[in-house]
């Protein structure tokens, strides 16, 4: 008994020492579930950045450890995960979440715990305004929707568009932003229809769209449903074009031959990225055998920003928040692989968007980009 | 005039969508209703048999490269066995226990099978690659103006009709069917008349599960989306269909499936796609309010 006790004591001491020498940044995202492939990019980006930081000596001599927190893109799970993170006094900043609905569920928990958070991927407009502790290194949906509407109008020349959205914060916010700008530009919105993430039958709505004869259908949702929608539309003899936003930016879409020609917005495009992204793309390719997607790039930068904050002010939550808030101009910006990141008074940032399109079963940057 | 034509072809297309969906619900609902008729148990794990049906065919076709129709037959047989095992492991030991105990076990089995599928196949949606499916499935069978009916829809409807017809024959024209009806009326008396009650119950599970598996296979093909939680939603809907038609009644399950499928599609098409599931459940609740025993169910009279 005594021996076991001694062993346990020794183990806790070793663990204690190891704990003292590492700094943990939780990265919350779906790693399993329908959107697991988005989470894979998040994970790869976060781990690559941590590896590079540790190879360069860590954060002020301490090793950086990434703890991957799985929340399945489910608001309920996100709240549970957020509570666990917020109650850990050794955490100074969190990176996440991915889905806007998950971020909005976690947001009040981080706010009440005064824990700063930076999301690499949630684009819903209201996030920044709701909490002084939330930051993001990705554009907002009001920008993305406007950008898409302009692209649809100027480059594609669409006159009549139908919108097929999912019932969640990301999709609905994006739809409203798109429609607002589309109406200004004179694009006629023929109709909007909704679906939920647990259905795989989209035919009743698509049948309705078919009678409207739209030039294109806008799908502001996620790829697992997007690929089904496109295929079922073809099955119904619906001849139209499709486009979506960064939620469709996944290899699931390219595997579907019916999705040929579909275009999406994305915050990061390897062949359009600046020189600062070169070594990142090379390192990522070496490790995973493919180009990084935008989830990987944005998370890579988000972890970089979080690490830089800890390096400057330590693990004090309030100080980290104030440090992030002080990155408020181009000159003070964090220069990462997705360009310069600096925050406005809401913690939001200005980032450019790109259009990519499926050509011969592969994502490629669109020839014509909006500048 | 043209808009009238368009409107009518829109309704027609929606009806085709609704009937296909309804056929699938009916096939699953039959499994619920048969088991309920025989042992008064709501087999909540039935939706998972449907999910296993979809996954097994998928695995046989894509990983084991079996010919398509061989895979379907094998799956149906395997799932029928699963049904028997399910009864043997989870329900038979509780036959004499209060009904609530078996119901809880049913929910437990449902969760167990769902998580087993998660472990084996992972949580992402699986789709058949185009080249493994018979080419005919991706083609439209015929089109009347703007109304498209695909071969897979024809396949689903014909399989449903044939399966229902065979089920009718089994229940009404065979010895085992007579035994099933006897057991559903009174287990003890049936046993006294020399009917092997447990064997009849096993047979009921086998038939019900085979039907569920067929539905799973066809839905996997129709929507080309197979995932571990697919059984939950479909199971709940089919259960609603069984209740709507009158639980315990096989024709009721067929009718209930059809009504629910069409109500869901028309609700999504004409009222609001955002409240699609709500509309189909509202239809069920309304029917139950006015006909508590369901559309074809016999009203229950309490024995004194």
């Amino acid at each position: 008994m005594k021996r076991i006790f001694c062993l346990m004591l020794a183990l806790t001491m070793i663990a204690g020492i190891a704990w003292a020498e590492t700094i943990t940044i939780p990265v919350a995202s779906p790693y399993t579930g329908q959107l697991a492939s988005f989470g894979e990019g998040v994970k790869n980006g976060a781990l690559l950045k941590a590896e590079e930081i540790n190879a360069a000596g860590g954060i002020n001599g301490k090793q950086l450890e990434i703890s991957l927190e799985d929340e399945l893109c489910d608001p309920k799970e996100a709240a549970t995960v957020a509570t666990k993170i917020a109650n850990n006094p050794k955490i100074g900043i969190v990176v996440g979440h991915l889905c806007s609905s998950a971020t909005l569920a976690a947001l009040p928990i981080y706010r009440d715990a005064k824990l700063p958070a930076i999301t690499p991927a949630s684009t819903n407009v209201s996030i920044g305004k709701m909490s002084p502790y939330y930051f993001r290194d990705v554009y907002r949906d009001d920008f993305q929707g406007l950008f898409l509407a302009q692209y649809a109008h100027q480059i594609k020349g669409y006159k009549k568009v139908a919108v097929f959205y999912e019932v969640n914060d990301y999709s609905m916010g994006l739809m409203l932003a798109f429609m607002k700008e589309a109406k200004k530009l004179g694009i006629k919105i023929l109709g909007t229809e909704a679906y939920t993430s647990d259905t795989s039958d989209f035919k009743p709505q698509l049948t309705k769209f078919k009678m409207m004869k739209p030039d294109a259908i806008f799908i502001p949702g996620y790829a697992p449903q997007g690929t089904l929608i496109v295929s079922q539309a073809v099955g119904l003899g619906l001849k139209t074009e499709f486009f979506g936003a960064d939620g469709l930016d996944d290899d699931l879409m390219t595997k579907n031959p019916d999705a040929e020609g579909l275009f999406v917005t994305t915050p990061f495009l390897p062949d359009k990225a600046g020189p600062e992204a070169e070594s990142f793309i090379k390192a990522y390719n070496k490790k995973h055998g493919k180009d990084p997607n935008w989830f990987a790039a944005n998370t890579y930068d988000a972890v970089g920003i979080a690490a830089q904050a800890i390096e400057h002010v330590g693990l004090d939550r309030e100080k980290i928040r104030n440090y992030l808030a002080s990155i408020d101009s181009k000159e003070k910006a964090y220069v990462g692989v997705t360009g310069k990141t600096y925050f406005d008074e809401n913690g939001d940032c200005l980032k450019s968007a790109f259009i990519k399109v499926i050509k011969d079963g592969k994502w490629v940057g669109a020839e014509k980009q909006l500048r | 005039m043209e808009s009238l034509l368009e409107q009518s072809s829109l309704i027609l297309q929606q009806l085709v969508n609704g009937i296909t969906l309804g056929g699938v619900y009916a096939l699953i609902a039959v499994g619920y209703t048969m088991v309920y008729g025989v042992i008064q148990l709501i087999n909540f794990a039935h939706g998972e048999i449907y999910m296993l049906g979809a996954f097994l065919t998928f695995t046989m076709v894509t990983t084991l490269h079996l010919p398509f129709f061989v895979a379907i037959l094998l799956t149906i047989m395997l799932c029928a066995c699963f049904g028997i095992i399910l009864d043997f492991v989870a329900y038979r030991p509780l036959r004499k226990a209060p009904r609530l105990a078996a119901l809880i076990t049913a929910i437990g089995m449902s969760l167990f099978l769902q998580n087993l599928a998660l472990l084996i196949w992972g949580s992402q949606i699986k789709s058949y690659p185009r080249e493994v499916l018979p080419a005919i499935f991706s083609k439209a069978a015929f089109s009347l103006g703007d109304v498209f009916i695909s071969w897979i829809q024809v396949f689903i409807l014909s399989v449903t009709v044939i399966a229902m017809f065979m089920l009718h024959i089994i229940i009404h024209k065979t010895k085992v069917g007579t035994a099933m009806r006897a057991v559903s009326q009174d287990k003890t008396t049936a046993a006294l008349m020399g009917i092997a009650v447990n064997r009849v119950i096993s047979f009921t599970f086998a038939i019900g599960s085979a039907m569920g598996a067929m539905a799973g296979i066809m839905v996997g093909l129709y929507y080309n989306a197979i995932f571990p939680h697919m059984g939950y939603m479909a199971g709940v809907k089919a259960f609603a269909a069984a209740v709507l038609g009158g639980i315990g009644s096989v024709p009721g399950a067929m009718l209930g499936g059809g009504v629910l499928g069409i109500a869901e599609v028309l609700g999504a098409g004409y009222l609001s796609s955002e409240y699609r599931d709500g509309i189909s459940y509202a239809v069920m609740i309304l029917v139950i309010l006015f006909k508590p025993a369901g559309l074809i169910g016999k009203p229950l009279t309490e024995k004194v």
Side-chain angles (χ1 to χ4, degrees):
Chain A
M1 193 61 213
K2 209 178 217 172
R3 200 178 288 165
I4 294 174
F5 180 74
C6 285
L7 193 72
M8 275 169 66
L9 198 71
L11 276 177
T12 32
M13 276 168 69
I14 293 166
I17 292 163
W19 185 246
E21 283 187 343
T22 59
I23 289 171
T24 305
I25 297 180
V27 179
S29 156
Y31 297 109
T32 60
Q34 284 192 4
L35 298 182
S37 67
F38 288 171
E40 195 196 317
V42 169
K43 176 178 144 193
N44 292 345
L47 292 181
L48 182 61
K49 184 72 196 179
E51 212 172 88
E52 287 173 11
I53 289 173
N54 288 335
I59 305 175
N60 297 331
K62 290 177 184 170
Q63 290 286 296
L64 170 62
E65 195 185 316
I66 299 289
S67 75
L68 301 170
E69 305 288 345
D70 188 11
E71 36 83 327
L72 304 155
C73 180
D74 176 6
K76 291 191 291 289
E77 288 288 328
T80 312
V81 163
T83 308
K84 191 185 111 190
I85 295 171
N87 286 339
N88 184 347
K90 296 199 172 69
I91 301 298
I93 179 167
V94 47
V95 172
H97 298 222
L98 192 150
C99 303
S100 290
S101 288
T103 298
L104 284 166
L107 181 142
I109 296 163
Y110 296 145
R111 188 182 55 202
D112 295 347
K114 300 197 187 319
L115 174 63
I118 174 164
T119 168
S122 292
T123 46
N124 183 281
V125 176
S126 51
I127 291 165
K129 288 180 203 127
M130 283 170 68
S131 166
Y133 291 89
Y134 237 108
F135 297 84
R136 62 177 135 201
D137 70 337
V138 63
Y139 50 59
R140 288 194 322 216
D141 281 336
D142 48 354
F143 167 72
Q144 183 170 214
L146 180 142
F147 184 87
L148 263 173
Q150 288 181 348
Y151 191 86
H153 174 71
Q154 286 178 25
I155 311 277
K156 287 283 173 180
Y158 295 147
K159 304 245 171 344
K160 303 170 291 174
V161 172
V163 185
F164 200 8
Y165 67 97
E166 182 176 325
V167 184
N168 69 35
D169 294 304
Y170 161 71
S171 202
M172 293 165 89
L174 190 53
M175 167 187 74
L176 292 177
F178 172 82
M179 282 176 29
K180 196 173 148 201
E181 182 67 15
K183 275 176 190 156
K184 251 188 241 167
L185 295 171
I187 300 177
K188 201 170 166 212
I189 305 292
L190 295 173
T192 61
E193 292 291 332
Y195 62 88
T196 52
S197 66
D198 54 10
T199 187
S200 36
D201 178 29
F202 305 97
K203 295 197 178 183
Q205 296 95 319
L206 288 169
T207 301
K208 245 175 127 175
F209 285 146
K210 191 182 164 192
M211 301 299 155
M212 298 172 182
K213 300 194 175 62
D215 294 337
I217 295 177
F218 174 39
I219 310 170
Y222 295 122
Q225 285 77 31
T227 172
L228 296 180
I229 291 173
V230 171
S231 287
Q232 288 181 22
V234 171
L236 282 169
L238 174 56
K239 286 186 190 68
T240 185
E241 293 176 26
F242 292 93
F243 63 102
D246 47 18
L248 291 190
D249 183 358
D250 189 69
D251 289 343
L252 212 55
M253 298 303 297
T254 50
K255 283 186 204 137
N256 182 351
D258 294 327
E260 186 72 19
L262 176 139
F263 70 89
V264 300
T265 32
T266 183
F268 177 79
L269 209 54
D271 41 323
K272 295 274 189 294
E276 57 274 12
E278 233 170 71
S279 66
F280 163 65
I281 295 170
K282 224 179 262 166
Y284 194 97
N285 255 308
K286 203 173 147 199
K287 220 167 156 193
H288 302 289
K290 58 182 174 189
D291 272 344
N293 60 7
W294 76 271
F295 295 103
N298 277 43
T299 311
Y300 182 90
D301 277 357
V303 170
I305 295 168
Q308 183 181 310
I310 296 173
E311 190 180 354
H312 278 84
V313 298
L315 278 169
D316 185 272
R317 292 181 178 183
E318 204 59 39
K319 280 186 190 153
I320 291 179
R321 193 218 85 88
N322 292 337
Y323 176 81
L324 291 179
S326 75
I327 307 178
D328 59 357
S329 66
K330 236 180 199 147
E331 292 73 45
K332 295 182 204 157
Y334 174 87
V335 183
V337 297
T338 59
K340 286 179 176 160
T341 303
Y342 56 96
F343 306 109
D344 65 8
E345 70 277 11
N346 292 323
D348 294 335
C349 73
L350 271 177
K351 282 281 182 72
S352 49
F354 305 92
I355 296 287
K356 66 187 210 180
V357 58
I358 299 178
K359 206 175 166 193
D360 302 322
K362 278 200 189 83
W363 285 116
V364 292
E367 275 170 35
K368 285 182 192 163
Q369 298 280 353
L370 271 187
R371 275 298 109 208
Chain B
M1 192 59 214
E2 196 187 288
S3 78
L4 191 71
L5 191 76
E6 274 185 1
Q7 280 304 317
S8 52
S9 63
L10 174 62
I11 293 181
L12 219 61
Q13 179 77 64
Q14 296 290 31
L15 277 178
V16 170
N17 296 338
I19 291 169
T20 319
L21 193 63
V24 171
Y25 287 160
L27 271 182
I28 314 172
V30 163
Y32 277 106
T33 223
M34 281 173 69
V35 167
Y36 185 86
V38 174
I39 53 170
Q40 282 78 50
L41 166 78
I42 305 205
N43 176 16
F44 275 113
H46 187 57
E48 273 54 54
I49 299 282
Y50 154 92
M51 174 267 295
L52 283 178
F55 265 117
L56 285 175
T57 304
F58 176 79
T59 310
M60 287 183 202
V61 169
T62 54
T63 346
L64 305 179
H65 303 291
L66 291 179
F68 202 70
F69 288 94
V70 176
I72 291 186
L73 280 180
L74 265 177
T75 304
I76 292 175
M77 282 192 268
L78 267 176
C79 282
C81 294
F82 278 146
I84 297 173
I85 296 170
L86 184 68
D87 171 50
F88 193 80
V89 173
Y91 305 142
R92 190 170 293 185
L94 292 170
R95 204 79 89 208
K96 300 244 159 37
R99 262 207 257 161
L100 198 60
L103 195 71
I104 302 289
T105 326
I107 295 171
M109 282 312 287
S110 158
L111 286 174
F112 169 74
L113 290 173
Q114 243 179 60
N115 286 294
L116 187 71
L118 260 175
L119 270 179
I120 299 176
W121 288 288
S123 53
Q124 291 192 42
I125 296 180
K126 299 259 185 302
S127 300
Y128 289 99
R130 182 153 301 185
E131 55 280 6
V132 305
L133 290 182
I136 199 159
F137 278 162
S138 47
K139 283 190 191 123
F142 35 85
S143 54
L144 289 161
D146 261 342
V147 185
F148 269 60
I149 300 170
S150 60
W151 277 114
I152 176 85
Q153 280 174 321
V154 174
F155 178 66
I156 290 180
L157 281 178
S158 31
V159 167
T160 309
V161 169
I162 293 169
M164 296 293 181
F165 182 69
M166 278 169 56
L167 189 66
H168 183 83
I169 302 260
I170 290 174
I171 293 178
H172 291 278
K173 303 273 154 104
T174 64
K175 231 178 186 174
V176 66
T178 316
M180 272 164 73
R181 281 181 292 149
V183 171
S184 78
Q185 279 167 10
D186 190 329
K187 244 186 282 179
T188 325
T189 318
L192 287 174
M193 297 295 133
I195 292 172
V197 172
N198 271 335
R199 212 181 298 163
V200 171
I201 294 174
S202 289
F203 183 74
T204 313
F205 268 94
I207 295 280
S209 300
M211 294 274 203
M214 266 187 245
I217 296 165
M218 292 189 304
V219 162
L221 288 170
Y222 185 41
Y223 299 130
N224 207 359
I226 301 165
F227 48 100
H229 296 296
M230 67 189 283
Y232 173 73
M233 209 50 193
V236 170
K237 288 267 177 63
F239 175 58
V243 172
L244 171 69
I247 189 131
S249 148
V250 173
M254 299 180 199
L255 185 67
V259 169
L260 203 71
I262 292 172
E264 189 181 324
V265 167
L266 291 186
Y270 287 97
L271 295 173
S272 156
S273 46
E274 213 164 320
Y275 296 104
R276 165 180 186 167
D277 293 339
I279 292 165
S280 56
Y281 292 132
V283 168
M284 181 198 96
I285 292 169
L286 275 177
V287 170
I288 297 296
L289 275 181
F290 292 104
K291 286 200 76 163
L295 288 173
I296 312 194
K298 290 186 207 96
L300 283 174
T301 42
E302 203 66 38
K303 275 179 250 176
V304 185

